[in-house]
Amino acid sequence: MEFNPSPRAEELKPKLAAFIADVVDPAEPVAHRQVEESGNPHHHPPIMEDLKAEAKARGLWNLFMPDPRFGPGLSNVDYAPLCELTGRSPLSQEATNCSPPDTGNMEVLAELGTPLHHEQFLAPLVDGSTRSCFAMTEPWVASSDATNIQSTIERDGDDYVVNAHKWWTTGAASERCTFAILMGVSNPDGDRHRRHSMVIVPFDTPGVTVVRSLPVLGRDHGSGHCETLYENVRVPKEYLLGEEGGGFAVAQARLGPGRIHHCMRAIGMAEKALQLMCERVQQRVAFGKPLADQGSIQERIAESRLEIEQARLLTMKAAWMIDTVGKKAARDEIGAIKVVAARLATRVIDRAIQSFGAAGVSDDWPLAAMYAEARTLHLVDGPDEVHLQQIARRELRQYEDRRV
Ligand SMILES: Cc1cc2nc3c(=O)[nH]c(=O)nc-3n(C[C@H](O)[C@H](O)[C@H](O)COP(=O)(O)OP(=O)(O)OC[C@H]3O[C@@H](n4cnc5c(N)ncnc54)[C@H](O)[C@@H]3O)c2cc1C
C-alpha cells in the first residue's frame, strides 16, 4: 500500500489548514448570527460567499473532484487528509465546494452526464453558484434495500413524468438548491436491479413541493433533510441520467468515493473531539487534581487515539484501493470503513461529552452537534447492518464447499 501524498497534496494541506484557522474559524460566529437574525434555520449566510471567494483565490476549490476537467484531479489518497481537515470545520466544506450531497452529484454528473447535463447542471455546481440534492429514500418502504423504491418515472412522448414521495433529501431546504437527482421505477417488468432509473428534476418544475425539513435528534439547520413531493412532474427525456433501467449503476457510481468522504470527515470530527477532551481535562480540577490525572480519563483518551489511528489506516487503504483497482473491487474496504468510521466517531465524541460533564450536551460546545451528525453515519448511505451483511456474504462465499 502506498499512502504517500503527491507534492500537490503536500502543498495543499498547510494551505487548507491555514484557510480554516485564519478565515473560516473566525467567520463561524458571524455565520451563526446571520442565520439566527434571518429567522430561517436554512438561510444561506452572506458571509459564505466571502469564504467561497477566498477559497477560490487560494486554490482551495473542488478539492474532492477526481476529474481534472472540473477540479484539481487529486487521487482519493491525496484528498483523504484534506477531507479530514474539513471534518473538523463544517463551514469549510461548503466554503471549498466540497460538501455533500453536491460532491456525489458532481462526481456522477461528470462521469455519466451528457454535454447538456454538464452545461445546465454540473457547471453551476462546479462554480458554486447553485446546490443540489439526491432523492432516493421514501417514507413508506425500507429504503436500505433500494430495490424497494416505488416512485415512478414514466416515459410520455418526449418527456418523463415523475410521481414520487421522498424524504431525508439532504439539501432540499436550501434556497440555492436547484435540482434533485431522483430514483424511481421506469421499467416495472425488468429484473430486480434493472427496474429503476435516475432523472434530473429541476426544482422550479411545476409539481415539486418541499413539504418540510426533518430535524436530526432535534436539530434542524444547514440545508435541511426534507420530505419532498413530486406530483406529475414533467422533465424532458434528455434529463435521464445514465440509461433507462440503469439506476443501480448510477447509485453505485455515486456512492464509491462519496462514502469514504463521510469516513474521512468522521475521522476529522473524532480528532477534534479528542482535542477538546484533552484540553478540557487539563483545565478542570475534581477531588484535588486535574481530571487528566484520573486513570479512567486517561484510558478514554488512549482508547480514542488507538481507534482513530486504526480507522485512518483503513480509510487510507480504501482510498488507495479505489485509486488503484477501482470502486467495485474496493467495495469490501468501502463497506468496512463506513461501519468503522461511524463507530469511531460516535464512541470518541461520546467519551468527550462524558469528560465535559453537562457542558458536553449543551450547545456552548460543538460536541452535541457532532454527536448528532456522527449518529446518522450509522444510517446514511446504507445502515451498518447492510454493509456487514455484504462483507460477511463475500467472506462466507470462500467456504461454500464446506456447507452441509
Ligand atoms: C441525516 C440523514 C440524511 C440523509 N440523506 C439522504 C439523502 O440525501 N438522500 C436519500 O435518498 N436518503 C438520505 N437519507 C436516508 C438514508 O439513506 C436511509 O435512512 C437509509 O438508507 C436507511 O433506509 P430507511 O431509513 O428506510 O431504513 P429501513 O430500510 O427501514 O431500515 C431500518 C433498519 O433496519 C435494519 N436493517 C436494514 N437492513 C438490514 C439487514 N440487511 N440486516 C439487518 N438489519 C437491517 C437497520 O438497522 C436499519 O437502520 C438520510 C438519512 C439521514 C438520517
Side-chain angles (χ1 to χ4, degrees):
M1 279 172 270
E2 174 62 81
F3 300 159
N4 281 344
S6 66
R8 175 108 179 84
E10 292 252 48
E11 178 204 324
L12 285 167
K13 195 173 170 192
K15 278 173 82 176
L16 179 61
F19 172 63
I20 292 174
D22 302 343
V23 183
V24 180
D25 287 349
E28 217 156 277
V30 182
H32 285 167
R33 200 177 55 244
Q34 289 179 340
V35 172
E36 217 166 273
E37 284 171 4
S38 78
N40 169 10
H42 311 294
H43 179 63
H44 181 66
I47 195 166
M48 182 56 79
E49 293 306 306
D50 302 337
L51 297 180
K52 283 161 62 178
E54 186 61 28
K56 271 186 186 169
R58 293 181 182 218
L60 299 169
W61 192 250
N62 289 337
L63 299 170
F64 74 96
M65 180 48 105
D67 187 328
R69 289 175 299 168
F70 307 107
L74 297 177
S75 66
N76 284 285
V77 164
D78 277 346
Y79 180 53
L82 305 177
C83 190
E84 185 183 323
L85 281 179
T86 66
R88 299 171 64 101
S89 156
L91 224 53
S92 71
Q93 294 161 24
E94 186 172 350
T96 54
N97 215 32
C98 291
S99 49
D102 299 312
T103 44
N105 287 348
M106 282 189 261
E107 268 182 53
V108 84
L109 285 168
E111 193 177 326
L112 301 173
T114 62
L116 176 87
H117 299 159
H118 285 189
E119 188 193 324
Q120 288 191 2
F121 302 106
L122 179 58
L125 279 185
V126 164
D127 79 15
S129 50
T130 60
R131 298 210 60 190
S132 63
C133 58
F134 182 70
M136 188 176 86
T137 305
E138 297 175 359
W140 311 116
V141 293
S143 303
S144 48
D145 175 358
T147 61
N148 283 337
I149 296 305
Q150 288 180 334
S151 298
T152 56
I153 300 172
E154 287 171 285
R155 182 73 183 265
D156 183 27
D158 283 343
D159 296 333
Y160 283 106
V161 178
V162 179
N163 278 290
H165 186 180
K166 300 288 185 181
W167 75 339
W168 292 105
T169 306
T170 299
S174 165
E175 56 234 18
R176 303 177 66 255
C177 179
T178 54
F179 70 91
I181 295 178
L182 180 144
M183 187 179 199
V185 177
S186 55
N187 304 61
D189 302 325
D191 170 74
R192 203 164 155 255
H193 289 103
R194 297 284 308 166
R195 295 172 65 236
H196 296 82
S197 297
M198 298 266 189
V199 282
I200 303 170
V201 182
F203 260 25
D204 59 3
T205 318
V208 179
T209 313
V210 177
V211 179
R212 59 174 174 148
S213 177
L214 294 135
V216 174
L217 296 174
R219 292 165 186 277
D220 184 18
H221 55 75
S223 52
H225 308 283
C226 298
E227 181 176 349
T228 48
L229 269 180
Y230 304 78
E231 295 168 293
N232 293 318
V233 175
R234 267 182 188 275
V235 295
K237 66 179 190 320
E238 290 76 17
Y239 286 3
L240 181 74
L241 187 54
E243 54 176 10
E244 229 183 58
F248 273 84
V250 180
Q252 286 313 314
R254 191 179 178 281
L255 287 179
R259 264 192 188 142
I260 73 163
H261 296 167
H262 276 314
C263 305
M264 297 163 182
R265 283 189 293 266
I267 292 167
M269 269 201 296
E271 277 285 5
K272 174 90 181 175
L274 177 58
Q275 178 197 332
L276 292 172
M277 172 162 51
C278 290
E279 287 169 358
R280 176 82 171 187
V281 298
Q282 294 284 20
Q283 288 159 9
R284 299 280 279 194
V285 174
F287 303 101
K289 54 185 181 184
L291 289 171
D293 291 355
Q294 299 287 353
S296 59
I297 299 265
Q298 289 177 2
E299 193 175 325
R300 236 175 245 169
I301 288 167
E303 293 288 356
S304 300
R305 173 50 66 210
L306 302 189
E307 289 170 17
I308 289 173
E309 297 299 322
Q310 291 171 52
R312 183 180 285 121
L313 281 174
L314 189 52
T315 308
M316 293 305 289
K317 183 186 175 195
W320 173 78
M321 286 198 59
I322 297 176
D323 290 341
T324 51
V325 294
K327 289 178 267 201
K328 196 164 174 210
R331 63 194 164 184
D332 276 356
E333 282 73 14
I334 296 172
I337 190 53
K338 169 73 185 37
V339 175
V340 167
R343 286 181 183 165
L344 162 82
T346 39
R347 238 180 348 235
V348 174
I349 297 165
D350 187 54
R351 289 183 190 127
I353 287 175
Q354 191 66 16
S355 308
F356 264 71
V361 290
S362 76
D363 280 344
D364 288 3
W365 297 87
L367 293 169
M370 283 161 71
Y371 186 81
E373 167 124 16
R375 184 63 188 82
T376 66
L377 291 180
H378 292 272
L379 301 164
V380 296
D381 291 352
D384 291 355
E385 294 90 336
V386 173
H387 296 290
L388 293 172
Q389 184 184 51
Q390 281 163 5
I391 292 167
R393 276 188 186 154
R394 281 193 282 274
E395 198 73 28
L396 282 168
R397 217 167 279 151
Q398 303 170 55
Y399 305 96
E400 256 167 10
D401 57 341
R402 309 286 174 92
R403 199 172 169 90
V404 289

